[in-house]
Amino acid sequence: MPDGPDVTQMPPSVVAFDRVFELAARLGDLMERDLSERGLSTARAEVLFVLHQRGPIVQRELSQALRCTPRYVTGLIDNLEAQGWVARNPHPTDRRATLVALTEQGTAAAARMHAERQEGAAALFGDVSQVDLETFVAVLEQVLDRIDRPTPKPAP
C-alpha cells in the first residue's frame, strides 16, 4: 500500500505547492531550533537582521521594515534591550524620536547569523547551476508577488 497520493497523478502546481510548503516547514523548524539555542525567536532575530543591514533606525521605520505594528515592535525591543541585544538612544536631530541600535553583543550575534546564512546557502545551493538558481529565484519571486497581492473578493 503506498504511503501517500501518487504525485504523478497530481497537477504540477499542487506538487510544487506541497514541496514549497514542506521546504518552508523544514526551514522554519531549523531556524526556530537554531535561534532558540541563542535565546532568540524568529521575530527577535529579524530585528537583529534588519538593524545589522540598516544600522540604527527609529522604531516606526523598524515596524515598517518588519511589516508589523509599532506596538509589537515596542515589545520586541523591550525584550531585546533587556537581554542586551539592542539599545535605545536619543535621535541626534529629532528629540521626539528614539533610535534603536545593536549593542556589541547584538552586532556580534548579527554578524555570526549573517556568516551562518552564507554558509547555509552554500550548503544548500553550492552545487546547483547558476541557471537553475536563477530560474528557482524567478519562480519564487512570482509566487511571493502573488502572495503579496490582495486577494480579489468574490462578487456577492
Side-chain angles (χ1 to χ4, degrees):
M1 181 178 232
D3 283 12
D6 181 3
V7 295
T8 61
Q9 302 300 315
M10 299 171 118
S13 60
V14 173
V15 174
F17 184 87
D18 290 349
R19 300 305 291 169
V20 168
F21 189 84
E22 182 178 353
L23 176 63
R26 286 188 186 190
L27 286 175
D29 289 346
L30 180 63
M31 281 178 35
E32 279 187 37
R33 186 174 52 248
D34 289 350
L35 292 172
S36 70
E37 291 173 3
R38 299 166 200 240
L40 291 168
S41 66
T42 306
R44 292 178 194 147
E46 192 173 2
V47 171
L48 298 183
F49 184 74
V50 168
L51 292 174
H52 183 69
Q53 284 186 314
R54 297 188 183 188
I57 57 176
V58 295
Q59 285 185 208
R60 179 180 27 79
E61 291 175 44
L62 187 55
S63 71
Q64 291 168 347
L66 298 173
R67 297 182 188 187
C68 62
T69 65
R71 173 178 255 173
Y72 183 70
V73 168
T74 298
L76 288 172
I77 299 305
D78 287 347
N79 186 283
L80 289 167
E81 188 174 37
Q83 293 181 332
W85 301 102
V86 302
R88 289 179 170 108
N89 300 301
H91 192 283
T93 59
D94 183 352
R95 67 178 195 217
R96 297 168 297 157
T98 301
L99 287 175
V100 179
L102 293 172
T103 60
E104 196 172 304
Q105 173 187 336
T107 299
R112 201 168 43 255
M113 287 188 293
H114 177 74
E116 290 168 358
R117 177 173 152 244
Q118 291 185 335
E119 291 166 8
L124 287 176
F125 301 114
D127 60 348
V128 177
S129 76
Q130 182 169 343
V131 170
D132 285 348
L133 280 176
E134 289 171 357
T135 301
F136 181 64
V137 169
V139 171
L140 288 175
E141 290 296 335
Q142 288 177 0
V143 171
L144 292 169
D145 285 346
R146 287 184 184 139
I147 289 171
D148 285 342
R149 264 191 243 142
T151 308
K153 296 196 178 1

